[in-house]
Every structure is written in structure tokens, then in C-alpha cells.
Amino acid sequence: MIKRVYLDNAATTKVDERVLKAMRPFFLEKFGNASSQHILGQETGMVLEESRGIIARSIKARPDEIFFTGSGTESNNWAIKGIGLENLASGKNHIVTTKIEHDCILNSCGWMGEQGFNMTYLDVDEEGFVNPEEVRKAITEKTILVSIIHGNNEIGTIQDIEKIGEICRACGVYFHIDACQSYTKVPIDVRKQNLDLVTLNAHKINGPKGVGALYVRRGTKIAPLIHGGKQESGMRSGTENIPGIVGFAKAVKISGSRDIRKMTRLRDKLIYEISKIPHSKLNGPRGDKRLCNNVNFSFEAIEGEAIGAYLDVNKICSSTGSACSSRSLAPSHVLKALGLSPLNLNSSMRLSLSKDNTDEEIDYVIKTLRKIIFKLRKISPFKLK
Ligand SMILES: Cc1ncc(COP(=O)(O)O)c(C=O)c1O
């Protein structure tokens, strides 16, 4: 008996029981401020550094290169604004990014534009890939930063960050990736991939909401965004969210290749079966260049909002696009960048998996979705051949 199928894990995930258990003592017994001198403070101070070490090892960074923040949004804002403002005096005022970034990058870049920075928004191909050669061509002597989303939150495209990293390093430009969706799903090696800044967060990987981190390569010139009591080596003030950080580290520790294999199998089952529905179109690539938990389809001439509403009635949580913009009826900027036809643009549905989804749930979703699409096609004013 299906109770509810949650397939909106790209928006957020359920906190894993083991994560919750690890966090609990830090609310009730070990609640000291990590900056306090007394024993409770020392205890949380130690746990803070252990957690930093876990995050650092997971991306092959040094612990002193990891700074905890309050979210992926904050880390992305910090990367863009902190690099831009700190390096402005050197005469560099140009930032390169793409048209398929998360809103927190696009809106940070928009704000930087208002402050006098110049932006380049790179196009992507029909599967959402950035051409590394286009990155090279966009870099000028004024460029300070290239910022690229690693795994796309809407269509799951995984970019060739190793190649782009090589280009940025050769041109002497900082390279930032937004890894909120790819973290623990796609290997990140900051040295091998020439990464200077990496945005991470906890709530996409069965950790708590409201915790993020920014990896900043040693020696990178970046201004702090939040000033105060000089926590996080003076780079991000504010009392550290110890329960959240402990939960973040635990979520990283329990993530593993078995979960990735399971999500990949369920993803491919969904893609295979949904592709059989007439006039359905997979958005984003197939195979290992797609996030293991992402499925995104357009169903020509059917409103994505209607599909979502019918799925919801049938106890299936899905999304039309990114969670942050799904309340808006404007077509997704990511799908627009792929060059989708108008009939496909507003007809998208995203299903995003977690390690907890089952075959039974996926079979139910396929069966239910098929019925919904046939029903909506019957009442659609567009008659397709
Ligand atoms: C790619 C990407 N970047 C950034 C964010 C923002 O992260 P947070 O929700 O932690 O602010 C998200 C979450 O929706 C995301 O998917």
C-alpha cells in the first residue's frame, strides 16, 4: 500500500535517522558555544573541527580550506561577491557564468552587475552542457572568476569541470563550482580538478537544512560577507550551528556508492518507461553525465503545473522545476537555455530520487503518470499527431 512517494529530493531530502541521532546531543547536553573557554565550549570546538575534517576529506581539501555557512545560497553569494569585491582594486571586474545557474548565482551576478561588474552568461547545448572552449573564449584580462554549476538542479547535466578547471588555471582565473546537487554523488577532487571555490550544503544529502560550506583554496583572495565575532577564522562570523554541522558531517559519512547505484537504476527505469509515453521528451542527457537522481521530462502541450497537481492528488510529490522558482509560472530559465519549443517549455516535470525510494514506488509512479498524461492529453486544446 503506497502512502506517499516523495520524488522531490532535489528540493530537499528527509533527514536520515542516523544524522538526527548524531545531532541530538548537541541540542540537549553538548550545547556549548564553540568559542567558549569552558569544557562545554571545548567539547563542541573539537567536534566542529572533526566535522570540518570530514567535509575536507570528502573533496580532498585541507580542513583550513572549509568554512561553514548557513546555506548553499550563502556560499554561492559569498563566492561571487567575496571574490569580485576583494579583487576589484586589481582592475578585474569581469565574471563568467552560465545561463543555467541556480537563482542564487544568477541574482548575485545581477547584483554585481548593478555594482559595475561585467558579466558573461554562457550558452549551453541542447543537453545543457557548457562547451569548455566557450569558457576559454569568454575569459579576458579583466576576468576574475568563472562560476559554473556542477550538476544542474533541474535537468541533471554534469559539467566537465576538470577540463574547465584546467582552462581557468592556465588563464589565472579563479574557478568556482556550485556543487549543491552533485556533492557525494559525483567525485570532487579540488586539486585534480583545479577548483578554487566549491559550494556545498547538507539538506540535499539527507542532512539538516540551514547548513552549508564553502571550500576556499588556500591563498585565494576573498572578502568575508558577514562580519562580527570572527568565527571561522574571521571569514564567516556568527556562532557556528554545531548540531547542523555535526549532522552535515554525518550525512557525508553515511553517503556511499551503493546508494548511487540504487538511484541510478531507479532513474534509468523511470527514464526508460516514461520515454514510451507518446510526445514525451527527456530534458538533459542520458547516462553517466546525468545526476544519478534526476529525471526531467516535457510532455508536449500539457501544462507542467497540471501534471504536478494530479501527481500530488495521487500521493506523488514532484516538481515542475527548481523548488525556489516553482511558485512562479514563468518558464524555467534552464529549459529556455536548452532551446525547447514553446509546447515543451511549460510542460516539464522533474522527479528527483533519494536512496530511500523503492521499486514498488517507482512502478506506482510510472503507472499513475501514464494515466495522468493520457487524461490530460484528452482535454488539451492541442491535437498532436
Ligand atoms: C544547485 C543549487 N545551488 C544552490 C542551492 C541553494 O541551496 P540552499 O537551499 O542550501 O540555500 C540549491 C538548492 O535548491 C541548488 O540546487
Side-chain angles (χ1 to χ4, degrees), residues 10-12 69-76 100-105 149-154 178-182 199-204 208-212 322-324 350:
T12 197
T69 66
S71 62
T73 298
E74 184 190 324
S75 299
N76 277 344
I100 61 162
E101 299 299 310
H102 189 273
D103 276 343
C104 56
I105 289 286
I149 186 165
H150 187 198
N152 188 272
N153 49 309
E154 293 191 40
D178 173 358
C180 287
Q181 295 288 339
S182 57
T199 288
L200 307 170
N201 66 359
H203 75 102
K204 313 286 185 183
K209 294 168 185 55
V211 198
S322 75
C324 315
R350 179 185 72 183

Side-chain angles (χ1 to χ4, degrees), residues 32-200:
N33 185 321
S35 302
S36 294
Q37 297 292 309
H38 51 69
I39 186 73
L40 281 189
Q42 288 172 29
E43 204 170 44
T44 45
M46 262 164 57
V47 166
L48 173 62
E49 295 318 314
E50 269 170 35
S51 305
R52 198 186 307 282
I54 292 168
I55 310 287
R57 276 195 296 282
S58 71
I59 58 169
K60 305 243 168 38
R62 300 188 177 103
D64 65 357
E65 295 173 315
I66 301 294
F67 300 91
F68 288 109
T69 66
S71 62
T73 298
E74 184 190 324
S75 299
N76 277 344
N77 270 260
W78 184 17
I80 300 287
K81 297 173 185 172
I83 290 288
L85 298 175
E86 181 71 17
N87 295 281
L88 191 57
S90 67
K92 301 206 169 192
N93 66 348
H94 177 230
I95 295 174
V96 177
T97 187
T98 79
K99 291 186 177 167
I100 61 162
E101 299 299 310
H102 189 273
D103 276 343
C104 56
I105 289 286
L106 292 178
N107 291 335
S108 294
C109 288
W111 185 83
M112 291 297 275
E114 287 165 18
Q115 313 312 309
F117 279 78
N118 294 319
M119 302 292 151
T120 297
Y121 298 94
L122 296 171
D123 285 318
V124 293
D125 69 14
E126 65 281 1
E127 290 186 327
F129 290 106
V130 175
N131 180 346
E133 283 311 310
E134 295 297 319
V135 177
R136 191 196 302 276
K137 279 193 221 153
I139 294 172
T140 70
E141 75 278 3
K142 293 273 189 192
T143 310
I144 186 66
L145 175 71
V146 170
S147 177
I148 309 258
I149 186 165
H150 187 198
N152 188 272
N153 49 309
E154 293 191 40
I155 54 169
T157 310
I158 300 168
Q159 304 297 339
D160 186 354
I161 54 166
E162 202 152 331
K163 184 78 200 140
I164 300 171
E166 236 174 75
I167 292 170
C168 292
R169 183 51 50 93
C171 297
V173 170
Y174 288 129
F175 183 33
H176 166 243
I177 61 162
D178 173 358
C180 287
Q181 295 288 339
S182 57
Y183 186 38
T184 71
K185 298 184 175 73
V186 185
I188 297 176
D189 180 330
V190 294
R191 313 259 158 233
K192 204 166 126 208
Q193 295 163 334
N194 285 308
L195 305 173
D196 299 302
L197 302 124
V198 180
T199 288
L200 307 170

Side-chain angles (χ1 to χ4, degrees), residues 13-23 54-55 58 183-185 202 204-208 246-260 263 355-356:
T13 56
K14 183 172 92 172
V15 170
D16 189 281
E17 291 283 351
R18 292 164 288 178
V19 169
L20 189 62
K21 194 165 166 231
M23 290 172 70
I54 292 168
I55 310 287
S58 71
Y183 186 38
T184 71
K185 298 184 175 73
K204 313 286 185 183
I205 56 168
N206 303 100
V246 167
F248 189 5
K250 185 70 182 177
V252 171
K253 249 181 147 172
I254 64 175
S255 64
S257 52
R258 218 165 116 208
D259 297 336
I260 295 173
M263 286 187 271
K355 64 185 175 59
D356 298 321

